């Protein structure tokens, strides 16, 4: 909200410098995001990020009085202005259209008061878009010596207005007064949080300043001379009191519609609103002043629409099915079943609290004005604003955040008083006021001990009372407890525990967080709990990073087509349900992922152009919708991708071979071994994304639980990810299954005291026989004294014969009790070989 | 006799001096000290000498043996020494050549930052509590004192799912309710890290997905001054022992009173720089006393219990700390970025 300092001063005395005030407001919760200096000097050292503006040179930019406006002898679009700047007369050449009316009428009966820039003054260039500074220089224009200027608002940095020059009101100060002394100002750009909706007005901000600085506010409510209306007063009915708790209407007759005085126009423009006419400007001015939006109807239109009725009947109601309204922005609007309308017997007049209708709006011909000030249910207004896309409506902005019904008659009378003063209207004695459900001001009992319980420090009772009273709470001091009644402008104060928290916040905010000490928690320490799932996950991360893998973190939002890239062409896409976004932000991020591997492969794809080799992993959830459940299963998974040479190339010969299935398997084996997962088994398997002959499933001790799948990416899939240059090795694990298979602890073995007997055996077996079966039988037969089995060679040759292969194992025999003799080792070996022969048809090859 | 020994001595030592390698040494040893060497034969032949000559000749022969053995040992040592020196010299490397590249694994910078934050909180007694990414409207909003159509909802642009009432959490705050409902009536000190989602355009400054770390302390004696003290302690651990903090009044529907904590800019220590936009302070986290309705929704009686909560963005902290200009780098996963950490 744009808040001019000069306007605030109408309601509260401000002695501190603007930037200090901005700091105080910010710390009390009214964040001043920017300060725009209008004519006044910026403070020294002010940061350009927050402070802006043009300081008007006091000796060069002053008030001047125009005494006569003459036509230019040979330029129709220019006039010659005679003015006095407090020192001497000048003749100034200008093309301002709003001076043309005075052209050639000789000496003016009352001088026009204008902003005058003397030679050398620094101004914004009014003719260029944006804000470009320029300095006034002497020049010959159309035969005249031009060195000074009568200024527009744009040239002074007040607003974008450049249609004409500023014409001050008649009470402007004498010629020669530095302009900065007259209308110099600072505009605070204040961010209003939803709980501070009451402060979306000059009065609201002034109240905060009063509380912060220990003064009090001057309220703008004045008694207004009234007279009985000549027109019949309207009748008002509220059909849905929950949506429209109060409706007030006041008649202002015999107004003269004209431009508002300059001071009002200036304030509106500084606050970011346009000036339209005195009547409309007054409704906007009072809204900015009090926070209560108002609407002015042309009463003649309402009477005409009433037809034969003696007086208009105004009803607030929900729309009839299919009902529409033409709003004053020219739009024909469809209405929702919750849109509240202000209507009369002829139909809808306006969207209550949001926007007026076109037909009944005030025009230059309006004589009688019906002023509406009403209250609306804020959540319903918010829905309406969203449904109608009327986010720029200033009334909608305020009503959707809550305006207290008590404000309606006050603001109505305030606007009527201004209309009387500035538009010559006469105010009706009768105020239509329909208020079926009066808001009861919450009364809270606030024990002083509660303030201390929440804040942790004792704020003196007198200070608490002062703060609450400065914010216009009614406070009864009942010793250790205060009885606090919320003021009429506040809807944010609750009752019970909430009311206490609301009041404690007010006290803390105004007292100042900065004045409160810092303490250590002295409360009881909670029970300590382990988080095994997280600890396990972090352990897996550390292990993989330790194994040389780079962690990546990808978007959890993707598109089904992106995950379907995992399938080779021609493979039918299995039906998969996704958690789908109702309002995606981009076509490539419309669902939550189901396949973590697809995300990591995308990272591989993006990096392969810049990297020799890749070793990537991600740990994160996939989202699997569960039939009949509102929320999906969020399953934590681990995906791994290896690609490229085994070692980075350097200047020396290295193992430059591309990583293959067994690099990945070695990595996986080491990971599982590090996690102490028992009974690990790899089984040949099939996976659509993987090479059909190079894919395995991993099991732990439980044969029913697949821990994960690993393999070489299918060549067609690899090509789709532009990874065909090398084999891409991929694994995908169920992290929760890994955790379940990970024992909490594991046993250790003593370091052997006796040497091992090591010998190699080579076995001739059928090609189909898996290495895993041979090894399992060796281990089983060898028993406790077979300390280690290592496959060190796999060999095939014509000599061995087709369909045969040789597996060479290094066996270590070792006892915990003694040094084994060669004879004992031989006995063990013979037993193993015999068993292999009998059960697997293996034969021992000669060495 | 004596002359024979002298000739033997001179010949043996001369031969030894000429030897330059291990093999020569072994051959010399066999020739001059071995079983068939002249000296061994002489010693063996002592018995044939006249008895009077025997002691002198025996002495002389043994002395020669010792002398030759010592000479052999000394020559062997000298040879070894010079051989080592030569091999060391020959083995010299150009140490300025680059090292053999070793593969190093790394954790993502977001993980590193999350861990750093959570480790500090762990040492301060706040344990990690995780909850789900896809939430109900109730947990993400209503139970946190954000009713439907409340203006406070404008503070979060939400991704809704096609399942009515389910959405992607906009903050980790739903975890506050989960934790409270799980632990009530015990006191609580937890941090809630996790991925959150906002309906936003992806730009250098805004992301649709980001991590958040919230914290929650609930008990019968948790005070606003504790909030200030605890968060200031955190800031000093995170940004340096001298770091100053300041608290501004703010608004979050689930806390009251609410505050924003700024820390003194750790790059310029408050004097103003590009990072803090000349303010000298950085906005780091939002915090406040847990709203009584939220306590109640979590199963704690607000007349007896109080609590504080806070929330911060690890990516934002990492961006400030390392001068990262574009938030899209985080989930872009370009290794040329990730490998800088």
């Amino acid at each position: 909200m744009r808040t001019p300092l000069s306007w605030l001063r109408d309601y509260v005395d401000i002695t501190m410098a603007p930037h200090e005030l901005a700091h105080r407001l910010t710390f009390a919760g009214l964040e001043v995001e920017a300060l725009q200096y209008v004519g006044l000097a910026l403070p020294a050292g002010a940061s350009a990020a927050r402070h802006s503006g043009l300081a008007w040179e006091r000796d060069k930019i002053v008030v001047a009085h125009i005494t006569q406006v003459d036509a230019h002898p040979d330029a129709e679009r220019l006039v010659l202005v005679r003015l006095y700047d407090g020192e001497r007369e000048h003749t100034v050449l200008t093309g301002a259209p709003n001076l043309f009316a005075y052209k050639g009428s000789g000496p003016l009966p009352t001088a026009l008061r204008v902003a005058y820039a003397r030679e050398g003054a620094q101004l914004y260039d009014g003719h260029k878009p944006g804000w470009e500074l320029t300095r006034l220089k002497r020049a010959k224009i159309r035969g005249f010596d031009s060195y000074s200027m009568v200024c527009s608002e744009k040239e002074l940095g007040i607003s974008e207005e450049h249609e004409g020059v500023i014409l001050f009101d008649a009470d402007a100060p004498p010629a020669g007064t530095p302009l900065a002394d007259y209308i110099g100002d600072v505009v605070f750009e204040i961010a209003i949080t939803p709980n501070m909706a009451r402060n979306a007005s000059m009065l609201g901000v002034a109240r905060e300043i009063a509380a912060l600085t220990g003064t009090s506010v001057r309220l703008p409510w004045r008694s207004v001379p009234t007279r009985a209306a000549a027109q019949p007063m309207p009748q008002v009915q509220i059909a849905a009191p929950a949506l429209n708790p109060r409706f007030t209407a006041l008649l202002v007759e015999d107004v003269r519609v004209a431009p508002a005085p300059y001071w009002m126009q200036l304030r509106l423009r500084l606050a970011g609103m346009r000036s339209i006419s005195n009547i409309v400007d007054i409704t906007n001015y009072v809204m900015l002043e009090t926070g209560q939006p108002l609407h002015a109807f042309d009463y003649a239109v309402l009477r005409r629409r009433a037809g034969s009725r003696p007086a208009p009947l105004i009803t607030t109601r929900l729309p009839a099915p299919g009902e529409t309204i033409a709003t004053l922005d020219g739009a024909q609007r469809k209405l929702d079943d919750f849109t509240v309308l202000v209507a009369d017997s002829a139909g809808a007049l306006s969207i209550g609290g949001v926007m007026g209708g076109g037909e009944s709006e005030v025009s230059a011909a309006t004589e009688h004005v019906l002023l509406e000030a009403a209250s609306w249910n804020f959540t319903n207004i918010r829905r309406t604003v969203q449904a109608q896309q009327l986010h720029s409506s200033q009334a909608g902005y305020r009503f959707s955040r809550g305006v207290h019904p008590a404000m309606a008659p006050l603001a109505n009378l305030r606007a009527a008083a201004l209309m009387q003063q500035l538009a010559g209207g006469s105010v009706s004695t009768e105020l239509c006021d329909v208020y079926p459900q009066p808001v009861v001001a919450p009364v809270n009992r606030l024990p002083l001990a509660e303030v201390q319980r929440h804040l942790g420090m004792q704020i003196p009772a007198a200070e608490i009372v002062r703060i609450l009273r400065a914010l216009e709470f009614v406070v009864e001091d009942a010793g250790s407890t205060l009885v606090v009644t919320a003021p009429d402008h506040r809807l944010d104060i609750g009752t019970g525990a909430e009311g206490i928290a609301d009041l404690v916040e007010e006290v803390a905010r105004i007292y100042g967080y900065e004045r409160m000490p810092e303490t250590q928690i002295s409360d009881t320490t909670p029970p300590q709990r382990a988080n095994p799932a997280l600890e396990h996950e972090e352990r897996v991360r550390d292990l993989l990073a330790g194994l040389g893998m780079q962690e990546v973190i990808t978007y959890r939002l993707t598109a089904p087509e992106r995950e379907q890239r995992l399938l080779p062409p021609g493979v039918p896409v299995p039906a998969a349900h996704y958690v789908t976004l109702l309002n995606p932000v981009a076509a490539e991020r419309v669902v939550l992922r189901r396949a973590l591997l697809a995300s990591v492969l995308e990272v591989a794809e993006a990096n392969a152009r810049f990297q020799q080799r890749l070793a990537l992993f991600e740990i994160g959830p996939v989202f699997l919708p569960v039939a009949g459940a509102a929320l999906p299963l969020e399953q934590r998974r681990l995906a791994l991708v290896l690609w490229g040479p085994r070692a980075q190339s350097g200047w020396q010969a290295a193992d430059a071979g591309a990583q293959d299935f067994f690099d990945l398997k070695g990595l996986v084996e080491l990971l599982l071994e590090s996690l102490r997962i028992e009974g690990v088994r790899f089984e040949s398997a099939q996976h659509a994304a993987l090479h059909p002959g190079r894919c395995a499933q991993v099991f732990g001790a439980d044969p029913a639980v697949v821990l994960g799948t690993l393999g070489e990416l299918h060549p067609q899939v690899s090509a789709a990810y532009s990874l065909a240059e090398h084999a891409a090795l991929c694994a995908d694990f169920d992290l929760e299954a890994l955790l379940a298979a990970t024992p909490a602890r594991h046993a250790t073995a003593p370091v052997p005291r006796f040497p091992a007997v090591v010998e190699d055996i080579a076995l001739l077996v059928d090609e189909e026989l898996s290495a895993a079966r041979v090894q399992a039988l060796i281990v089983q037969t060898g028993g406790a004294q077979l300390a280690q089995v290592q496959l060190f060679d796999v060999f095939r040759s014509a000599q061995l014969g087709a369909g045969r292969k040789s597996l060479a194992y290094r066996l270590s025999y070792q006892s915990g009790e003694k040094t084994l003799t060669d004879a004992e080792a031989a006995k063990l070996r013979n037993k193993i070989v015999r068993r292999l022969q009998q059960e697997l048809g293996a034969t021992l090859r000669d060495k | 006799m004596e002359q024979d020994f002298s000739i033997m001595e001179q010949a043996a030592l001369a031969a030894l001096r000429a030897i330059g390698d291990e093999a020569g040494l072994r051959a010399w040893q066999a020739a001059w000290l071995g079983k068939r060497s002249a000296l061994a034969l002489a010693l063996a032949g002592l018995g044939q000498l006249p008895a009077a000559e025997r002691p002198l000749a025996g002495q002389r022969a043994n002395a020669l043996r010792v002398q030759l053995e010592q000479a052999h040992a000394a020559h062997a040592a000298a040879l070894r020494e010079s051989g080592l020196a030569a091999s060391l010299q020959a083995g010299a490397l150009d140490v300025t050549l680059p090292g053999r590249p070793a593969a190093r694994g790394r954790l993502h910078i977001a993980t590193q930052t999350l861990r750093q934050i959570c480790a500090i909180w762990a040492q301060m007694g706040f344990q990690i509590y995780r909850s789900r990414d896809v939430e109900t409207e109730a947990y993400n909003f209503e139970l946190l004192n954000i009713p439907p159509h409340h203006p406070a909802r404008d503070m979060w642009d939400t991704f809704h799912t096609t399942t009515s009432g389910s959405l992607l959490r906009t903050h980790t705050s739903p975890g506050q309710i989960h934790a409270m409902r799980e632990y009530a009536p015990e006191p609580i000190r937890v941090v809630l890290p996790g991925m959150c989602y906002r309906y936003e355009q992806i730009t250098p400054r805004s992301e649709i997905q980001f991590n958040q770390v919230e914290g929650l302390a609930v008990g019968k004696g948790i005070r606003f001054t504790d909030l200030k003290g605890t968060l200031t302690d955190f800031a000093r651990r995170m940004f340096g022992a001298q770091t100053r903090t300041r608290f501004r009044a703010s608004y979050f529907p689930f806390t009251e009173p609410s505050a924003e904590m700024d820390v003194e800019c750790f790059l310029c220590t408050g004097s103003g720089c590009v990072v803090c936009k000349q303010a000298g302070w950085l906005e780091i986290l939002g915090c406040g006393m847990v709203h009584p309705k939220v306590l109640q929704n979590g199963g704690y009686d607000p007349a007896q219990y109080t609590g504080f909560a806070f929330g911060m963005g690890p990516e934002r902290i990492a961006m400030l700390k390392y001068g990262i200009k574009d938030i899209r780098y985080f989930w872009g996963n370009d290794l040329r970025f990730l490998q800088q950490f």
Side-chain angles (χ1 to χ4, degrees):
Chain A
M1 185 180 64
R2 290 177 55 85
T3 316
L5 180 62
S6 63
W7 200 342
L8 292 173
R9 286 197 157 123
D10 280 6
Y11 319 105
V12 64
D13 293 331
I14 296 167
T15 50
M16 66 177 78
H19 63 281
E20 281 169 24
L21 179 63
H23 182 83
R24 290 294 297 275
L25 286 170
T26 297
F27 274 70
L30 281 167
E31 186 178 0
V32 178
E33 293 177 319
L35 293 93
Q36 183 199 341
Y37 283 74
V38 179
L40 298 181
L42 277 69
S47 93
R50 275 175 199 239
H51 302 75
S52 65
L54 172 66
W56 301 327
E57 294 142 295
R58 299 176 59 78
D59 59 335
K60 292 199 174 71
I61 300 178
V62 296
V63 174
H65 292 183
I66 296 179
T67 51
Q68 189 167 328
V69 180
D70 294 322
H72 187 281
D74 49 32
E76 212 168 285
R77 309 188 69 168
L78 292 176
V79 287
L80 295 171
V81 166
R82 260 193 246 169
L83 59 74
Y84 177 66
D85 72 350
E87 289 174 1
R88 62 188 185 87
E89 293 270 341
H90 300 271
T91 300
V92 181
L93 195 65
T94 172
N98 59 338
L99 292 178
F100 287 11
Y102 305 96
K103 187 160 66 174
S105 51
L108 296 169
T110 34
L112 298 170
R113 275 100 168 130
V114 293
Y116 177 64
R118 290 173 178 151
E119 184 177 358
Q122 195 178 35
L123 297 166
Y124 290 109
D125 191 326
H127 298 282
K128 288 192 180 152
W131 300 97
E132 201 171 304
L133 280 172
T134 178
R135 223 169 245 295
L136 279 184
K137 289 192 190 83
R138 194 172 279 268
K140 276 264 188 251
I141 298 174
R142 292 274 185 154
F144 282 86
D145 196 18
S146 171
Y147 53 86
S148 63
M149 183 183 270
V150 180
C151 300
S152 70
E153 287 191 353
K154 171 149 189 189
E155 280 147 357
L156 293 168
I158 296 172
S159 75
E160 300 271 1
E161 192 63 50
H162 188 55
E163 266 303 290
V165 295
I166 299 171
L167 294 176
F168 291 124
D169 300 323
D171 62 355
T177 306
L179 190 65
D181 291 351
Y182 178 34
I183 59 163
D185 214 334
V186 179
V187 181
F188 299 101
E189 187 81 60
I190 301 178
I192 308 273
T193 53
N195 64 325
M196 293 264 188
R198 65 181 183 281
N199 292 330
S201 66
M202 302 305 142
L203 194 50
V205 176
R207 261 193 207 99
E208 295 286 328
I209 294 170
L212 286 168
T213 56
T215 57
S216 50
V217 288
R218 293 181 290 272
L219 297 170
W221 324 128
R222 308 275 181 277
S223 67
V224 191
T226 61
R227 65 156 210 226
Q231 313 275 317
M233 288 296 290
Q235 278 180 285
V236 175
Q237 285 176 354
I238 294 176
L243 301 179
N244 175 203
R246 190 172 198 174
F247 194 99
T248 69
L250 195 59
L251 202 52
V252 184
E253 294 170 298
D254 304 317
V255 296
R256 282 187 311 276
V257 179
Y262 182 75
W263 65 265
M264 182 173 275
Q265 292 189 30
L266 175 63
R267 281 187 170 182
L268 289 176
R269 277 196 288 271
L270 287 178
M273 293 194 83
R274 287 184 310 136
S275 168
I276 293 159
S277 67
N278 50 2
I279 300 300
V280 176
D281 286 3
I282 286 167
T283 60
N284 285 330
Y285 183 87
V286 173
M287 173 182 71
L288 293 173
E289 179 180 55
T290 66
Q292 167 72 51
L294 297 118
H295 185 67
F297 293 100
D298 184 330
Y299 199 55
V301 175
L302 299 195
R303 288 202 64 197
R304 191 182 68 230
R305 285 165 60 101
S308 58
R309 286 171 171 276
L313 171 65
I314 292 172
T315 313
T316 66
R317 58 167 174 85
L318 292 169
E323 190 169 3
T324 59
I325 183 172
T327 42
L328 52 76
D329 59 354
Q332 186 74 32
R333 294 178 178 273
K334 288 183 190 163
L335 305 169
D336 298 284
D337 59 3
F338 53 81
T339 317
V340 182
L341 296 171
V342 178
D344 62 7
S345 48
L349 291 168
S350 63
I351 300 178
V354 178
M355 188 170 268
E359 187 186 347
S360 57
E361 82 177 295
V362 169
S363 69
T366 299
E367 283 177 73
H368 311 300
V369 170
L370 185 73
L371 263 176
E372 167 206 315
S375 331
W376 310 94
N377 175 294
F378 70 93
T379 56
N380 201 56
I381 295 291
R382 184 172 181 274
R383 286 176 83 191
T384 306
V385 164
Q386 285 178 334
Q388 298 293 340
Q389 295 290 304
L390 280 168
H391 298 280
S392 60
S393 157
Q394 289 273 350
Y397 168 83
R398 286 176 174 78
F399 280 132
S400 69
R401 282 160 178 76
V403 178
H404 198 290
M407 299 301 292
L410 293 172
N412 215 335
L413 284 164
R414 168 68 175 153
L418 284 170
M419 285 184 191
Q420 191 171 62
Q421 184 192 330
L422 304 174
S426 74
V427 180
S428 66
T429 310
E430 190 188 342
L431 171 79
C432 285
D433 184 1
V434 184
Y435 192 13
Q437 287 183 349
V439 172
V440 180
V443 181
N444 282 291
R445 298 182 62 80
L446 177 66
L448 294 174
E450 275 294 281
V451 179
Q452 189 166 9
R453 183 172 78 99
H454 283 85
L455 298 182
M457 70 168 296
Q458 200 170 4
I459 296 176
E463 177 68 355
I464 295 174
V465 171
R466 182 202 75 76
I467 289 168
L468 291 173
R469 285 190 177 145
L471 292 169
E472 293 179 45
F473 286 88
V474 177
V475 182
E476 280 174 60
D477 196 341
S480 62
T481 296
L482 305 178
V483 180
V484 184
T485 308
D488 258 355
H489 57 271
R490 295 193 67 150
L491 283 171
D492 62 319
I493 303 297
T495 52
E498 219 188 319
I500 286 172
D502 291 336
L503 295 176
V504 166
E505 177 179 49
E506 293 306 292
V507 172
R509 230 167 37 77
I510 302 297
Y511 181 80
Y513 292 176
E514 287 307 275
R515 292 167 68 193
M516 297 187 198
E518 290 166 4
T519 55
Q520 304 295 316
I521 300 177
S522 58
D523 197 47
T524 321
T525 306
Q528 298 297 295
R529 295 175 179 89
N531 190 338
L534 174 73
E535 285 157 21
H536 178 262
E537 185 180 311
E538 296 293 23
R539 192 167 151 215
V540 172
R541 272 201 183 90
D542 284 334
L543 283 167
L544 289 169
L547 290 167
M549 307 286 292
Q550 167 70 53
E551 186 190 23
V552 298
I553 299 178
T554 59
Y555 286 104
R556 294 176 187 182
L557 290 164
T558 185
E561 310 85 82
R562 296 172 75 148
E563 299 206 331
Q564 284 157 17
R565 297 176 71 202
L566 282 177
L567 300 173
V571 173
V573 176
H577 292 292
Y578 282 94
V579 175
T580 306
L581 296 185
L582 190 63
N583 54 336
V585 75
E588 69 274 16
R589 311 232 176 260
V590 294
V591 298
L592 285 171
R593 69 180 171 203
R594 292 179 59 99
L596 184 60
L597 183 58
S599 303
V600 182
L601 280 171
E602 285 178 8
V603 175
E605 178 181 30
N607 277 286
R609 287 181 293 151
F610 310 111
Q611 305 287 334
Q612 266 187 6
R613 69 187 288 277
L614 299 169
L616 308 174
F617 79 97
E618 176 165 12
I619 287 176
V622 297
F623 302 85
L624 311 172
V626 180
L631 299 178
L633 177 67
E634 297 184 6
Q635 190 186 57
R636 299 192 86 80
R637 296 197 74 91
L638 157 67
L640 301 166
V641 172
L642 296 179
W643 180 85
R646 208 154 279 140
Q648 296 275 19
S649 67
W651 55 273
Q652 284 167 305
D655 185 353
Q659 297 176 92
D660 62 23
F661 178 85
F662 295 104
D663 289 278
L664 176 63
K665 188 178 175 191
L667 190 86
V668 166
E669 283 172 327
L670 196 48
L671 172 69
L672 300 180
E673 187 195 309
S674 308
L675 294 172
R676 308 281 167 192
I677 293 177
E678 283 161 16
V680 172
R681 233 161 14 89
F682 290 81
E683 269 185 23
S684 170
Q686 295 293 306
H687 186 287
L690 302 178
H691 188 304
R694 297 177 182 177
C695 168
Q697 279 185 332
V698 191
F699 296 86
D702 184 346
V705 177
V706 179
L707 299 179
T709 305
L710 69 156
E712 184 178 318
L713 198 61
H714 192 289
Q716 287 174 310
V717 179
S718 191
Y721 283 101
S722 310
L723 294 170
E725 194 186 336
H726 307 289
L729 295 320
C730 304
D732 176 43
F733 278 87
D734 177 343
L735 205 65
E736 282 149 41
L738 275 186
L739 167 62
T742 301
R745 64 191 69 78
H746 65 93
T748 60
V751 176
R753 288 169 57 210
F754 302 99
V757 179
V758 179
E759 62 170 15
D760 297 345
I761 59 168
L763 299 165
L764 198 57
V765 297
D766 282 343
E767 184 64 68
E768 294 81 55
L769 191 61
S770 77
R773 274 194 73 193
V774 177
Q775 178 133 358
L777 195 63
I778 295 174
V779 168
Q780 191 195 354
T781 314
Q785 291 195 328
L786 180 63
Q788 213 180 11
V789 182
Q790 190 202 346
L791 177 70
F792 69 89
D793 189 31
V794 180
F795 174 69
R796 296 174 181 87
S797 74
Q799 217 181 351
L800 295 178
R804 306 281 280 166
K805 64 186 173 191
S806 160
L807 302 173
Y809 291 91
R810 178 156 296 158
L811 307 181
S812 305
Y813 310 107
Q814 200 166 28
S815 161
E817 280 112 42
K818 58 177 182 161
T819 303
L820 292 179
T821 63
D822 286 350
E824 285 164 328
K827 199 175 150 196
L828 206 51
R829 189 221 1 214
N830 290 338
K831 187 176 151 196
I832 292 169
V833 170
R834 205 164 42 244
R835 186 99 187 270
L836 289 168
Q837 236 158 15
Q838 285 164 359
E839 295 191 18
L840 302 177
T843 53
L844 197 61
R845 277 180 75 206
D846 295 331
K847 284 188 190 162
Chain B
M1 195 72 218
E2 169 57 34
Q3 205 173 7
D4 291 347
F5 284 122
S6 295
I7 291 165
M8 214 186 292
E9 181 188 337
Q10 281 162 25
L13 292 178
L16 185 64
R17 276 195 296 273
I19 287 169
D21 61 6
E22 284 285 326
L25 273 176
R26 276 194 302 276
W28 184 89
Q29 193 172 26
W32 294 102
L33 290 165
K35 285 178 185 168
R36 294 183 198 290
S37 64
L39 183 58
L41 293 177
L43 279 160
L46 282 177
Q48 265 118 74
L49 286 179
E53 287 180 27
R54 257 185 245 162
L56 193 66
Q59 266 178 10
R60 182 69 179 97
N62 274 319
L64 181 59
R65 185 171 54 83
V66 169
Q67 189 191 357
L68 291 185
E69 277 169 0
Q70 284 173 345
H72 176 266
H75 193 72
L79 266 188
R80 270 200 305 276
E81 207 163 297
S82 71
L84 180 65
S87 96
L88 289 177
Q89 199 173 8
L93 300 176
D94 176 358
V95 296
T96 65
L97 284 169
R100 192 170 283 126
R104 180 192 147 187
R106 288 176 173 82
L107 297 176
H108 194 284
I109 177 60
T111 302
Q112 294 184 34
T113 312
L114 268 175
R115 281 190 175 186
Q116 193 190 357
I117 292 168
C118 291
I120 294 170
W121 285 111
Q123 288 169 2
M124 291 166 69
F126 286 71
Q127 295 189 281
I128 292 177
Y129 185 96
R130 296 198 296 183
S131 64
R132 48 185 313 125
D133 286 20
V134 185
E135 270 294 357
T136 60
E137 200 95 37
Y139 272 85
N140 198 73
F141 290 125
E142 277 91 334
L143 294 170
L144 292 166
N145 192 33
I146 313 164
H149 301 292
H150 191 275
R153 287 229 176 161
D154 292 342
M155 295 165 79
W156 299 275
D157 292 309
T158 311
F159 279 122
H160 297 274
T161 80
T162 49
T163 305
S164 164
S166 114
L167 46 77
L168 309 197
R169 66 175 170 191
T170 57
H171 42 201
T172 48
S173 316
Q176 291 189 24
I177 302 288
H178 288 295
M180 282 193 272
R181 290 189 168 180
E182 190 176 331
Y183 297 152
E186 286 168 354
I188 296 179
R189 266 167 238 174
V190 291
V191 280
L192 311 129
M195 200 65 90
C196 304
Y197 307 83
R198 299 259 170 100
Y199 177 84
E200 299 228 18
Q201 295 303 317
I202 302 177
T203 71
R205 300 176 161 275
S206 67
E207 257 295 0
I208 54 171
Q209 144 181 336
F210 54 94
N211 278 295
Q212 207 177 48
V213 179
E214 286 213 6
L216 174 71
V218 176
K220 288 188 175 171
I222 302 287
R223 308 159 298 182
F224 188 83
T225 52
D226 294 340
L227 166 77
K228 282 190 73 177
T230 309
L231 287 172
T232 300
D233 280 351
F234 168 77
R236 292 190 181 132
R237 286 288 311 278
M238 190 75 200
F239 303 111
Q242 306 305 317
T243 302
R244 292 193 300 155
T245 57
R246 63 180 198 186
F247 291 78
R248 286 178 287 122
S250 187
Y251 171 70
F252 307 102
F254 31 87
T255 51
E256 189 175 31
S258 303
E260 295 267 1
M261 182 178 87
D262 299 339
V263 305
E264 197 172 41
C265 179
F266 43 78
L267 290 169
C268 63
T269 58
S271 57
C273 67
V274 185
V275 170
C276 61
K277 300 196 185 89
Q278 306 306 322
W281 295 88
L282 298 167
E283 289 181 26
I284 290 294
L285 57 81
C287 54
M289 299 299 287
V290 181
H291 194 280
K293 272 194 187 165
V294 176
L295 280 174
Q296 212 150 28
N297 292 335
Y300 290 84
D301 176 4
Q304 286 189 56
Y305 288 88
T306 47
F308 69 67
F310 56 86
M312 66 190 95
E315 281 93 60
R316 176 176 153 74
I317 290 176
M319 287 175 84
L320 292 170
K321 211 167 156 175
Y322 298 106
I324 302 165
K325 299 275 182 283
D326 192 332
I327 198 170
R328 295 172 301 183
Y329 283 173
F330 285 87
W331 318 138
N333 290 299
D334 192 317
L335 297 187
R336 293 168 299 180
F337 170 68
L338 296 182
Q339 287 173 351
Q340 294 182 42
F341 303 98

